[in-house]
Amino acid sequence: MKLSKRIIVGLISAAVILIGGKFVYDNFIDDDFTYPLTYISIEGNKREKDQIDTIDKSLESNKCKFEEINFEMLKVDDKNNMVIKESEYNKLANKLDLEKVKVNDKEAAIIPRYDGIKNFKYMNELKELTNYKVENNNLKVVGVVDKKILITGLFKSQIIISDNLYNKLEKDSENKIVTVKGYEFKENSKSDKAILQIKENKSFSNNNENDLFYLFSK
């Protein structure tokens, strides 16, 4: 039986889709969690040391080999707008295999809160922004980085600014340093047990300080 050109093209396309399915899933479908476990602490959290110790000890006692991805951001107002300095972002970019960013004191680059092919429209809307205001600083947007660095949708905005501007903003006592720790490890029954132990630990119990830290797991 002779196959038409249209059928042949269709069969080839189907094969490509099947072969490339995992690649498409791994690279284009949005994953809400950047890390299997994410801990975020806002300056003023009195339980930060105990919480970090709890995480480390729980993972270690359950024989979970892990790697930490550590970085700091600055919460610049009460609306959950976050900035990260250029040098800090570029160190993170090295670890996560992301493209590095260069900005001056009057420029900014945007980190998306969502990524993946299903957020194509959102990414395009970000790329249309030309200016962004951080406190009293009107900054020219020079680009949008390709991938998020935190949990999908977390915080109102995430902006990369120059080290010099960041250091000036950091001196304002109203602005708070935000410590982020992403934990990379193989997900299995041992890691599930460790995460359960962490969540049940008294250092993570809810009280009037619960808005000063976040704990996310897949």
Side-chain angles (χ1 to χ4, degrees):
M1 181 179 67
K2 188 176 181 180
L3 297 177
S4 69
K5 184 177 180 181
R6 180 181 295 180
I7 293 175
I8 293 172
V9 170
L11 290 171
I12 293 173
S13 298
V16 170
I17 290 171
L18 288 172
I19 294 170
K22 187 177 186 303
F23 173 82
V24 171
Y25 180 82
D26 291 342
N27 292 278
F28 295 102
I29 302 301
D30 184 56
D31 185 351
D32 289 341
F33 299 90
T34 308
Y35 319 99
L37 182 67
T38 303
Y39 171 73
I40 299 172
S41 178
I42 300 173
E43 185 179 354
N45 176 21
K46 297 177 182 179
R47 293 188 283 172
E48 181 177 307
K49 184 179 184 304
D50 287 341
Q51 290 171 338
I52 292 174
D53 287 345
T54 295
I55 294 172
D56 291 347
K57 289 176 181 177
S58 295
L59 290 173
E60 289 169 357
S61 65
N62 285 284
K63 303 187 185 304
C64 298
K65 294 182 179 180
F66 64 92
E67 179 184 357
E68 291 183 31
I69 308 294
N70 303 314
F71 59 97
E72 286 187 351
M73 305 181 80
L74 192 67
K75 184 173 179 285
V76 293
D77 55 32
D78 58 1
K79 297 179 181 178
N80 279 336
N81 288 309
M82 302 287 174
V83 297
I84 183 171
K85 59 184 175 182
E86 176 193 297
S87 61
E88 187 82 342
Y89 177 82
N90 286 337
K91 284 192 294 184
L92 180 63
N94 270 336
K95 291 183 178 180
L96 300 181
D97 196 26
L98 303 174
E99 188 174 347
K100 292 184 178 180
V101 169
K102 179 68 176 176
V103 292
N104 62 37
D105 293 349
K106 295 182 179 180
E107 296 175 335
I110 299 175
I111 303 171
R113 296 163 59 235
Y114 306 86
D115 58 20
I117 196 168
K118 70 181 182 182
N119 292 303
F120 184 74
K121 181 181 178 182
Y122 163 78
M123 291 291 286
N124 279 341
E125 289 173 350
L126 284 186
K127 291 174 182 178
E128 292 177 0
L129 294 177
T130 57
N131 293 280
Y132 198 91
K133 189 172 184 178
V134 177
E135 291 195 344
N136 295 322
N137 302 277
N138 289 308
L139 306 175
K140 178 184 177 182
V141 175
V142 295
V144 179
V145 300
D146 291 335
K147 294 183 179 180
K148 65 182 186 298
I149 60 173
L150 288 172
I151 306 300
T152 290
L154 191 63
F155 302 129
K156 184 178 179 181
S157 66
Q158 299 163 39
I159 309 296
I160 305 167
I161 60 175
S162 71
D163 285 28
N164 185 50
L165 178 56
Y166 183 98
N167 292 337
K168 288 179 180 178
L169 295 174
E170 191 176 19
K171 293 177 181 178
D172 186 340
S173 60
E174 296 297 317
N175 297 333
K176 303 297 181 183
I177 295 173
V178 178
T179 299
V180 180
K181 297 175 77 68
Y183 294 84
E184 292 280 7
F185 48 77
K186 185 177 181 180
E187 296 173 72
N188 51 35
S189 58
K190 291 181 180 179
S191 64
D192 290 344
K193 182 179 178 181
I195 290 172
L196 182 61
Q197 289 177 353
I198 293 166
K199 290 181 176 180
E200 291 180 342
N201 188 277
K202 63 181 181 180
S203 65
F204 285 97
S205 61
N206 290 329
N207 62 17
N208 59 4
E209 293 180 330
N210 69 344
D211 59 340
L212 293 179
F213 67 86
Y214 301 85
L215 183 70
F216 301 98
S217 63
K218 289 186 178 180

